[in-house]
Amino acid sequence: MNPLFAFIAVIALCMTASACAGSSQEAGEGTETTEASQSVETAAARVAVNQQVFQTPVESSSIIGKWQNDENSVSIEFKDDGTYINDSIDGTYTLTENTLTLTYYGGEVTEDYSIGFLDDQLVLVRDDMQLIFDRSE
């Protein structure tokens, strides 16, 4: 798994666990209903973003530069020579329409992501993980 998304998954799980623990301590009941409605809302948001974002093919030149996700303190930089730096991980990337392929660890790991733009924000989706980046430079 890409370290970027592994890190984000851990943060998301911690945040979910904290929110659920707080709900059950305060309310005593209804945690299952709250978790279910949060899951439905998340799925609905992902579908809405997917429909808007992934209809227009992304050109390589549009992703060149540095991108930041402040919510999760994650950054990624795409260079015009086909390389990228994701915090401390570097590798190569290819982009075909709305599929971004990242290769790292000397070519040992390759992962595909759906990629698109929502207004001026870069959206990366893999499985059920969604990250939205703002251009930082």
Side-chain angles (χ1 to χ4, degrees), residues 53 56-63 95-98 115-117 122:
V53 170
T56 304
V58 174
E59 295 187 27
S60 293
S61 61
S62 65
I63 68 168
L95 180 61
T96 306
E97 294 189 7
N98 292 93
I115 185 172
F117 283 95
L122 180 68

Side-chain angles (χ1 to χ4, degrees), residues 35-51:
E35 289 175 9
S37 61
Q38 287 175 347
S39 176
V40 170
E41 290 171 10
T42 303
R46 188 169 45 252
V47 168
V49 169
N50 287 343
Q51 291 174 351

